[in-house]
Amino acid sequence: MNTPTSHAHARRGPQSDSRAGHLDVDALLDDPHTGIIVCCGSGGVGKTTTSAALALRAAERGRKVVVLTIDPARRLAQSMGIEALDNTPRPVVGVDAAGGGALDAMMLDMKRTFDEVVESQATPEKAKQILENPFYIALSSSFAGTQEYMAMEKLGQIHQEAQRTGTYDLIVVDTPPSRSALDFLDAPERLSSFLDGKFIRLLLAPARGPAKVMTAGLSLITNALTKILGAQVLRDMQTFVAAFDTLFGGFRQRAQKTFELLQADGTAFLVVAAPEPDALREAAYFVERLSEDGMPLAGLVVNRASPEPEGALSADEAMAASARLRKAEEGSLTAGLLRLHADQTRMVEREALLRDRFAAAHPEVPTAVVPALAGDVHDLSGLRRVGALLAGEQA
């Protein structure tokens, strides 16, 4: 995977288009310095489809691509014709490889990724002790922030392997469907802070030996925790912490290393949003946060935009004509069609106003607008169509 020498490429690609404010997707995909594309945004805005479409288009333009999805609905596997995705990249059949590209796909297995980290960092005996601990099983399966942390962990693993072997030159990441898009950046730090925090150290103190550590105050705290959590749960936690102690620093370092990878040259963030006030408000928060953290933002993708109706008739003109026809002929089909035209035109105008407001607040963010399709995307043909629309080609 190539690594450029400056941050310029992440902002240069989209701005190479002659149309001000337009996101040039193909320039981003074709730039050999683009090694990671992270699609982020709030839930339900089409991140998974966008990620898959970008990965497919890049592969068919000659890149060696792997797409990592964290989407629990498993739509990506269906659309790519793969029976099941798991923690191992699987080749996607049916990709046009004439340009020398290839496409693999995988789905994050949160617990398996956590297990792999433990197995790689601990001795076999210590790893077995950790993996069988009830508190670890709960932590690795359902603890808040674990999914986001492991998504970044898996990204780091894939990138390191690609650097070593040259397997891939582009990684496309579909971020978790969090309630807030900011969770992807915040949760890994929260989890690593928890694993390295004062509460965990407090639990660890009795297991560390010296009798003088067991002061009266600590005994009171331990007794209180026993009442709240139960003796068995507390013992499980203390056993886990004692076994996990040697890995604490490693987790924080790994989280920091991947965070730096996201800030580095070769990474490009695409914020995905729907043409709705809440989704664009969330996108604005994310754009501001990426800027604060020094993350390279490539642009905004507005998904499922209402397609413009054919013809030059305005909404007011269509409504006026519809009213005249209804007076002349009750139940007129033409009058109904004119009203539908007016409603569609007004919807397009409202969405355009929302995008204009976003652009006024964030003039430095180039945008691609993808019109809504008539049906769901369920195969490579549908993904190719979405990719073409992302690149600005006509529907």
Side-chain angles (χ1 to χ4, degrees):
M1 186 177 294
N2 297 316
T3 304
T5 56
S6 74
H7 278 285
H9 89 276
R11 307 180 191 279
R12 182 183 68 242
Q15 293 177 349
S16 63
D17 193 288
S18 59
R19 292 170 286 172
H22 173 73
L23 172 62
D24 189 338
V25 168
D26 284 346
L28 181 68
L29 298 179
D30 293 345
D31 186 345
H33 291 150
T34 303
I36 298 172
I37 295 177
V38 181
C39 294
C40 52
S42 55
V45 296
K47 291 194 302 290
T48 299
T49 301
T50 299
S51 302
L54 288 168
L56 177 61
R57 189 169 182 86
E60 295 190 332
R61 295 175 71 87
R63 304 295 299 273
K64 293 183 290 184
V65 189
V66 60
V67 57
L68 167 63
T69 183
I70 303 96
D71 178 39
R74 298 186 180 267
R75 292 190 308 273
L76 183 66
Q78 297 166 3
S79 64
M80 293 190 161
I82 299 174
E83 187 173 328
L85 289 180
D86 56 21
N87 228 33
T88 303
R90 309 284 182 188
V92 177
V93 179
V95 175
D96 182 357
L103 175 60
D104 287 356
M106 62 184 296
M107 179 178 288
L108 178 73
D109 183 329
M110 180 173 69
K111 187 179 186 312
R112 182 63 216 142
T113 301
F114 210 150
D115 292 350
E116 289 171 356
V117 175
V118 171
E119 290 165 349
S120 69
Q121 297 293 302
T123 63
E125 293 174 1
K126 182 73 67 82
K128 184 175 186 293
Q129 186 180 2
I130 294 172
L131 297 178
E132 293 177 354
N133 182 274
F135 182 71
Y136 168 79
I137 294 171
L139 175 71
S140 61
S141 302
S142 57
F143 190 82
T146 304
Q147 187 180 54
E148 286 82 359
Y149 183 101
M150 290 305 145
M152 294 181 74
E153 171 66 35
K154 180 54 69 174
L155 170 60
Q157 289 178 8
I158 297 170
H159 178 263
Q160 189 174 30
E161 181 69 11
Q163 290 273 42
R164 187 175 63 83
T165 65
T167 313
Y168 307 112
D169 57 33
L170 177 61
I171 303 168
V172 180
V173 183
D174 165 32
T175 56
S178 307
R179 184 170 59 86
S180 168
L182 302 179
D183 287 349
F184 180 63
L185 295 177
D186 290 334
E189 175 61 23
R190 287 202 303 269
L191 180 62
S192 60
S193 295
F194 167 76
L195 291 175
D196 201 20
K198 291 181 180 178
F199 175 67
I200 291 292
R201 294 298 173 183
L202 179 66
L203 290 175
L204 185 60
R208 277 188 164 165
K212 62 182 180 180
V213 173
M214 287 297 292
T215 63
L218 186 58
S219 297
L220 286 173
I221 293 171
T222 303
N223 291 337
L225 287 172
T226 301
K227 289 179 181 178
I228 297 169
L229 301 173
Q232 185 59 50
V233 172
L234 185 60
R235 278 196 297 272
D236 289 340
M237 291 176 71
Q238 288 177 327
T239 302
F240 161 75
V241 170
F244 210 75
D245 186 35
T246 56
L247 305 187
F248 280 134
F251 264 74
R252 180 171 287 280
Q253 290 169 10
R254 294 167 82 90
Q256 183 60 34
K257 189 173 181 181
T258 305
F259 201 78
E260 291 170 357
L261 175 62
L262 293 175
Q263 293 176 313
D265 305 321
T267 298
F269 278 81
L270 286 177
V271 178
V272 184
E276 300 162 2
D278 288 347
L280 284 170
R281 193 176 301 117
E282 188 83 1
Y285 291 149
F286 207 96
V287 164
E288 290 159 11
R289 172 62 188 278
L290 290 171
S291 177
E292 289 173 7
D293 287 346
M295 301 288 183
L297 175 64
L300 171 74
V301 173
V302 179
N303 246 341
R304 303 168 187 159
S306 299
E308 291 193 31
E310 295 183 10
L313 203 61
S314 71
D316 289 343
E317 289 170 336
M319 285 299 290
S322 175
R324 288 195 299 270
L325 283 172
R326 284 181 185 277
K327 285 183 180 180
E329 181 186 346
E330 188 174 346
S332 168
L333 177 60
T334 303
L337 291 173
L338 284 167
R339 187 177 183 85
L340 285 174
H341 175 91
D343 290 344
Q344 183 72 10
T345 300
R346 283 173 177 160
M347 179 71 75
V348 170
E349 290 170 351
R350 281 196 295 271
E351 292 177 5
L353 180 60
L354 289 171
R355 295 198 303 272
D356 287 345
R357 287 175 179 169
F358 183 94
H362 305 280
E364 76 287 357
V365 181
T367 302
V369 180
V370 181
L373 300 178
D376 291 335
V377 176
H378 54 80
D379 56 17
L380 290 186
S381 178
L383 289 175
R384 284 191 188 97
R385 188 179 180 197
V386 174
L389 293 171
L390 277 163
E393 296 178 9
Q394 295 299 313

